[in-house]
Amino acid sequence: MSESARLVSTVAVLGAGTMGHGIAQVCAGTGAIVRLYDVTQTAADAGIARIDSNLTKGIKRGKVTSAQRSAILDRLSATDSLEKAVDTVDLVIEAVPERLDLKRSLFERICPIVATDTLLASNTSSIPIGKLSEGMAHPERFLGMHFFNPVFIQPLVEVVRADASADHVIDRAVALSRAMGKEPIVVRDSPGFASSRLGLVLGLEAIRMLEEGVASAEDIDKAMQLGYRHPMGPLKLTDLVGLDVRLAIAETLAAEVDPVRFNPPQLLRDLVAQGAHGKKSGRGFYNYEDSSS
Ligand code: NAD
């Protein structure tokens, strides 16, 4: 705990959604003070409420003690002020929607405020870190820290090394990931990194198979679970990630890597346009409105 607290004492997490709240939770678990920022106080507060719910469930499962829950919650605060969130922090982790313009506009606002040695990390699934840091002061402090959903359970962190990332920045991120109890891998700054690029291929193909009537969503998922021992089928996983998030990743990879392989299927576009964003919206390839699945 004290070792990790020295790695980073204060962290700002930008975006309190699916990923941001979980990242804030695991950062606070290392002993760091964490400020969770979102565009409205309500959204930021909702992130803290989700952390409380995760921890309470963890107590019921015997994974978390009530003392740990209180200590983590005591280290967390929620704000709708970007300036307050990043004031004198050692590390910023950005987890806002997968749009280059949005992410860049946040980093443009942050760069002049934070210290020149503050680590600036993005949880982007697919956007090259070099594109996020292009033209920004001190690009050596930028890197990717790509977490997986649900963050407090999934063990992997992809630490993305951009051409300009300093070695000590990558080393600190690796050590911090370990302090969170995660297994870091260091990957080159290539669109979609090691995980999203590969995972998306399976997800998009499963959606095309559903479009073509090859099998039902349940049976496509079952094929991968029972035939290939995947813990979750690709359509259920797309529901968990968010159809909107996966569409944005596909669009980035279609533009950056290959327009044919990563071309988003029409069914994915249609479901996103209908507001069927997956589990978080109550409907995706499966219906969650009346169940807790
Ligand atoms: P989300 O839609 O659940 O959450 C995004 C949050 O950002 C929302 O709370 C929203 O209010 C907030 N937000 C929007 N604009 C903002 C702004 N200008 N400033 C501050 N907050 C703002 O999205 P998510 O699934 O958490 O994805 C966030 C990032 O994490 C994306 O880059 C995504 O690609 C990446 N990611 C997602 C997953 C996943 O499984 N969902 C996994 C790994 C990485």
Side-chain angles (χ1 to χ4, degrees), residues 14-20 23 37-40 43 50 94-99 102-103 105-106 109 122-127 146-149 196 237 240-242 244-245 248-249 280:
L14 314 183
T18 308
M19 297 304 291
I23 295 168
Y37 162 76
D38 208 300
V39 273
T40 64
R50 287 175 82 176
E94 165 279 308
V96 303
E98 189 74 346
R99 280 178 28 215
L102 184 61
K103 291 177 187 289
S105 74
L106 273 179
R109 285 172 64 193
S122 174
N123 182 54
T124 175
S125 308
S126 60
I127 300 171
H146 183 207
F147 294 83
F148 293 79
N149 180 16
S196 307
L237 181 60
L240 185 68
V241 169
D244 54 330
V245 175
I249 298 169
K280 64 186 171 187

Side-chain angles (χ1 to χ4, degrees), residues 166-235:
D167 287 346
H168 67 85
V169 166
I170 301 301
D171 292 346
R172 261 176 101 186
V174 165
L176 181 64
S177 304
R178 293 209 174 103
M180 292 169 181
K182 308 285 181 204
E183 185 64 41
I185 57 169
V186 179
V187 299
R188 193 164 64 78
D189 191 19
S190 168
F193 320 118
S195 59
S196 307
R197 180 166 165 182
L198 217 43
L200 196 72
V201 170
L202 207 60
L204 295 182
E205 204 56 33
I207 299 168
R208 289 188 195 107
M209 286 162 61
L210 190 64
E211 271 179 338
E212 291 167 17
V214 172
S216 65
E218 288 82 357
D219 285 350
I220 291 169
D221 279 348
K222 216 178 265 180
M224 289 298 103
Q225 286 179 276
L226 302 185
Y228 288 81
R229 299 178 72 92
H230 289 197
M232 186 181 280
L235 296 168

Side-chain angles (χ1 to χ4, degrees), residues 105-157:
S105 74
L106 273 179
F107 283 122
E108 270 160 9
R109 285 172 64 193
I110 293 166
C111 275
I113 308 175
V114 297
T116 55
D117 61 353
T118 295
L119 266 55
L120 299 179
S122 174
N123 182 54
T124 175
S125 308
S126 60
I127 300 171
I129 304 303
K131 285 209 164 178
L132 290 175
S133 63
E134 198 177 336
M136 307 258 176
H138 296 284
E140 71 280 359
R141 58 186 163 168
F142 277 81
L143 77 158
M145 283 186 83
H146 183 207
F147 294 83
F148 293 79
N149 180 16
V151 178
F152 63 101
I153 293 174
Q154 295 283 23
L156 182 66
V157 180

Side-chain angles (χ1 to χ4, degrees), residues 18 50 57 61 149-150 153 232 235-245 275-293:
T18 308
R50 287 175 82 176
K57 281 184 201 148
R61 291 191 188 122
N149 180 16
I153 293 174
M232 186 181 280
L235 296 168
K236 192 94 180 203
L237 181 60
T238 302
D239 274 359
L240 185 68
V241 169
L243 275 65
D244 54 330
V245 175
H277 291 183
K279 194 170 181 188
K280 64 186 171 187
S281 71
R283 189 168 73 87
F285 297 104
Y286 295 85
N287 195 340
Y288 301 88
E289 268 149 8
D290 305 318
S291 79
S292 57
S293 60

